[in-house]
């Protein structure tokens, strides 16, 4: 038994393979580096949904329908925005997705809802009215336009599109597993995605990149690295953006995103501090955990990539959801095809009826 289900195989999937030893991620037969270079969000949707989603569509049809879905979902903003006024962005997104009905909603609507709700929720928190989506734009460019009011730097839009592709799917991570568990009960696609978003929210999963930027800000400059690290270790804090359940080497997505940052305005300066911090942290982790290799995970350079693309750090986890919703929906379809409920066992250690022993009742 392992309370973290470490190494337990709980699903059979054709979607993605994470090779933790080699530091390799394959999505439907393609290395992630290849997909990040060539694909946009709609291409990735077509790849992941192929043979699984209802109504087979190529990427051109998905691109078009997704644009229209963004306009459809924007009609819900007059209800969502007042209700979410006092919520954080991620709580507002959770509320917005929960407003979709399991019977009436489709996967395109869910994928459209994440950027439309995220942009409008952020603008509301800044005292700004929502900006209408434009169905003719790509997913990332339209999101950035809805967020900022535009015009959008094309390099930033391309960087965000690459990010969405890079994080779209990643084996049986905590949020995808959650989605599959809920889907296995036949609760429906919206309920499964809302549950997945709740799992993503935590700082040990998708909530890490905001704190990565906080960390870089607190460190400030190269002289600040060592004292800051010593304080963190003394306080027993985990270092965000490092360590992974599966990878025993560098997360391949970290380098994809590092290259994205390097190509953006101001990216090179930020990378210089980040690299120094990364080197210092890896050296310390190697000393403290000689038997367990802890390396850089996707979230470290995600933070820099999303910052360079112009996103406020409060929206980093929502941006992750914007990409990962593709993987969640594909896994939900795949899980629904198996038809079997996911129901593991537990080991009882509580009190026993009088005259009996734990060994006897546990069988
Ligand atoms: N900083 C400091 N110590 C760490 C870190 C870290 N980032 N990661 C693991 N450790 C330590 C743990 O404290 C533990 O030490 P112990 O045995 O003395 O208690 C040991 O390494 C093993 O850690 P586990 O928690 O068993 O590792 P697990 O595989 O369960 O956790 C996780 C993986 C959650 C990602 C962990 O490495 C972590 O908390 N990282 C920081 C948060 C983070 O970056 N999350 C994003 C992950 S990527 C993603 O989800 C998209």
């Amino acid at each position: 038994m392992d309370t973290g289900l470490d190494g337990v195989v709980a699903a059979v999937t054709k979607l993605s393979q994470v090779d933790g030893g080699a530091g390799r991620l394959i999505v439907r037969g393609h290395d992630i580096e290849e997909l990040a270079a060539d694909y946009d969000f709609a291409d990735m949707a077509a790849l992941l949904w192929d043979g699984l989603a209802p109504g087979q569509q190529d990427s051109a049809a998905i691109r078009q329908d997704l644009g229209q879905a963004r306009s459809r979902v924007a009609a819900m903003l007059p209800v969502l925005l007042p209700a979410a006024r006092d919520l954080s962005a991620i709580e507002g997104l959770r509320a917005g997705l929960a407003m979709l009905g399991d019977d009436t909603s489709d996967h395109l609507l869910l994928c459209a809802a994440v950027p439309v709700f995220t942009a409008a929720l952020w603008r509301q928190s800044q005292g700004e009215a929502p900006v209408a989506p434009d169905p003719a734009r790509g997913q990332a460019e339209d999101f950035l336009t809805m967020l900022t009011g535009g015009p959008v730097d094309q390099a930033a839009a391309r960087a965000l599109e690459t990010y969405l592709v890079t994080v779209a799917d990643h084996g049986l991570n905590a949020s995808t597993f959650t989605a599959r568990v809920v889907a296995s009960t036949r609760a429906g696609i919206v309920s499964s995605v809302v549950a997945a978003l709740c799992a993503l929210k935590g700082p040990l999963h998708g909530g890490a990149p905001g704190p990565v930027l906080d960390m870089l800000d607190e460190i400030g400059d190269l002289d600040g690295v060592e004292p800051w690290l010593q304080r963190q270790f003394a306080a027993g804090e985990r270092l965000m953006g490092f360590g992974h359940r599966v990878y025993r080497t560098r997360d391949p997505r970290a380098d994809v995103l590092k290259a994205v940052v390097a190509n953006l305005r101001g990216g090179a300066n930020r990378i210089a501090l980040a690299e120094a911090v990364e080197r210092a942290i890896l050296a310390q982790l190697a000393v403290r955990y000689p038997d367990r290799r802890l390396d850089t995970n996707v979230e470290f350079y995600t933070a820099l990539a999303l910052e360079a693309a112009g996103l406020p750090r409060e929206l980093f986890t929502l941006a992750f959801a914007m990409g990962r919703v593709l993987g969640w929906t594909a896994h939900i379809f795949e899980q629904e095809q198996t038809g079997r409920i996911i129901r593991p066992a537990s080991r009882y250690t509580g009190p026993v009826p009088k005259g009996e022993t734990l060994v006897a009742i546990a069988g």
Side-chain angles (χ1 to χ4, degrees):
M1 191 204 79
D2 183 287
T3 50
L5 301 186
D6 196 348
V8 173
V9 176
V12 174
T13 184
K14 292 186 168 63
L15 293 168
S16 59
Q17 161 71 4
V18 183
D19 182 340
R24 190 172 183 201
L25 168 60
I26 296 169
V27 181
R28 294 208 112 172
H30 303 269
D31 276 301
I32 195 61
E33 292 82 356
E34 176 200 336
L35 296 172
D38 296 340
Y39 278 46
D40 70 4
F41 185 84
D43 296 327
M44 201 63 179
L47 181 72
L48 283 165
W49 292 339
D50 184 31
L52 294 169
Q56 188 80 17
Q57 284 187 305
D58 63 19
S59 52
I62 290 174
R63 205 167 286 117
Q64 195 177 8
D65 284 2
L66 197 56
Q68 285 161 5
R70 287 196 301 274
S71 296
R72 273 192 292 145
V73 91
M76 297 169 68
L77 290 174
V79 179
L80 172 62
L81 291 178
R85 197 169 288 282
D86 296 326
L87 301 179
S88 69
I90 186 83
E91 291 163 344
L93 178 61
R94 190 180 61 194
L97 296 184
M99 281 169 53
L100 300 167
D102 272 310
D103 294 339
T104 53
S105 299
D106 58 42
H107 51 294
L108 279 165
L109 210 56
L110 275 163
C111 293
V114 183
V116 170
F117 291 168
T118 300
L121 286 160
W122 177 253
R123 288 182 71 82
Q124 169 164 271
S125 73
Q126 305 301 300
E128 308 265 12
V131 170
D134 178 349
R137 294 195 190 104
Q139 185 86 334
E141 185 188 357
D142 206 23
F143 167 68
L144 289 175
T145 309
M146 289 186 283
L147 185 71
T148 62
V152 164
D153 173 12
Q154 286 307 307
R158 179 62 213 154
L160 184 59
E161 202 85 38
T162 303
Y163 167 76
L164 299 179
V165 168
T166 305
V167 301
D169 196 40
H170 197 244
L172 207 55
N173 57 85
S175 57
T176 301
F177 180 52
T178 304
R180 289 191 78 127
V181 170
V182 179
S184 83
T185 71
R186 304 189 187 172
I189 190 168
V190 173
S191 297
S192 306
V193 165
V194 170
L197 180 72
C198 294
L200 187 77
K201 175 174 179 282
L204 298 194
H205 187 17
V212 166
L213 274 199
D214 297 339
M215 167 177 86
L216 292 177
D217 287 350
E218 277 174 42
I219 290 173
D221 58 25
L222 296 183
D223 293 338
V225 179
E226 283 303 331
W228 182 88
L229 258 182
Q230 294 314 325
R231 281 199 304 277
Q232 291 301 108
F233 281 124
E237 297 286 348
R238 289 195 176 202
L239 305 166
M240 295 294 134
F242 296 88
H244 199 275
R245 172 57 63 78
V246 182
Y247 290 119
R248 286 293 162 263
T249 180
R250 201 175 165 78
D251 183 333
R253 299 167 300 172
D255 284 327
V256 170
L257 296 178
K258 188 174 176 181
V260 165
V261 184
N263 287 331
L264 288 173
R265 218 187 351 247
N269 293 343
R270 208 58 166 134
I271 283 184
L273 174 64
E275 278 179 334
V277 170
E278 186 186 8
R279 270 194 304 274
I281 288 179
L282 291 178
Q284 285 286 344
L285 287 172
V287 171
R288 282 166 193 267
Y289 299 101
D291 301 328
R292 182 190 173 89
R293 172 105 186 255
L294 296 172
D295 214 318
T296 315
N297 67 45
V298 64
E299 301 291 47
F300 190 70
Y301 285 103
T302 284
L304 300 195
L306 294 180
E307 179 191 46
L311 268 71
R313 67 190 70 181
E314 293 86 342
L315 299 188
F316 287 1
T317 308
L318 294 84
F320 195 165
M322 213 178 293
R324 185 55 61 84
V325 69
L326 286 180
W328 292 336
T329 48
H331 277 270
I332 290 163
F333 292 134
E334 197 178 45
Q335 183 64 39
E336 285 173 341
Q337 284 183 356
T338 76
R340 190 133 193 259
I341 191 166
I342 297 175
R343 203 299 186 191
S346 51
R347 191 167 73 205
Y348 182 65
T349 58
V352 295
K354 220 171 168 176
E356 296 191 55
T357 66
L358 201 50
V359 176
I361 67 158

